[in-house]
Amino acid sequence: MMLRILPLLLGLMAGAVHAEVAVIVHPGNAAALSSDDIQKLFLGKIKSFPAGGEATPVNLKEGSAVREQFNQGLLGKSESQVKAYWSQLVFTGKGTPPKELDNDEAVKAFVASTPAGVGYIDASKVDGTVKVVLKQ
């Protein structure tokens, strides 16, 4: 009996861990960002918003479940692949990874106070201080 219930419980627990990721910008930012634009910003391939203006992306700290979802869903890479990608760019002097912030609240506060800011948080943490440009 317990062996039949275990897969069900594990499935429910896995579903509870999955949260929707919201990519956010400063509320005064009129930028429309595609998933391709977001990928390029967070991989250092572009440094400005498509419509112009500098962009300053920020990451959640390594090991965050929302960061892992963002990496998989929007960057199409695992955490180790993202780390290897940035290690190579840093080693060759071709780039610097986005600054890491401790939690959703820190990312939201940074983006809300930085017109060039772009980050991602758990969609349930979004409020009027930031603007959502994409949900995943």
Side-chain angles (χ1 to χ4, degrees):
M1 175 76 170
M2 187 63 169
L3 290 177
R4 284 189 230 159
I5 295 174
L6 188 58
L8 178 64
L9 290 174
L10 290 174
L12 289 173
M13 288 179 3
V17 173
H18 183 76
E20 190 173 32
V21 176
V23 179
I24 57 172
V25 296
H26 186 275
N29 188 331
L33 296 174
S34 68
S35 55
D36 187 53
D37 296 330
I38 293 164
Q39 184 181 53
K40 288 176 181 174
L41 281 169
F42 279 86
L43 293 176
K45 294 178 180 181
I46 60 173
K47 298 187 183 306
S48 58
F49 291 106
E54 179 188 351
T56 307
V58 291
N59 270 326
L60 283 168
K61 69 180 176 181
E62 193 174 329
S64 157
V66 175
R67 177 173 169 159
E68 288 176 21
Q69 277 184 245
F70 176 82
N71 288 343
Q72 289 288 339
L74 282 160
L75 302 185
K77 299 180 182 300
S78 68
E79 182 69 38
S80 61
Q81 288 172 318
V82 171
K83 197 172 192 173
Y85 171 84
W86 279 111
S87 292
Q88 183 178 3
L89 288 182
V90 168
F91 181 74
T92 59
K94 294 181 181 175
T96 304
K99 180 178 176 179
E100 290 185 12
L101 299 176
D102 286 339
N103 54 41
D104 291 333
E105 293 303 318
V107 170
K108 187 169 58 171
F110 174 83
V111 170
S113 65
T114 309
V118 56
Y120 55 88
I121 60 174
D122 183 321
S124 69
K125 305 285 173 74
V126 171
D127 60 25
T129 64
V130 294
K131 179 176 129 184
V132 175
V133 291
L134 185 79
K135 282 188 181 180
Q136 178 86 21

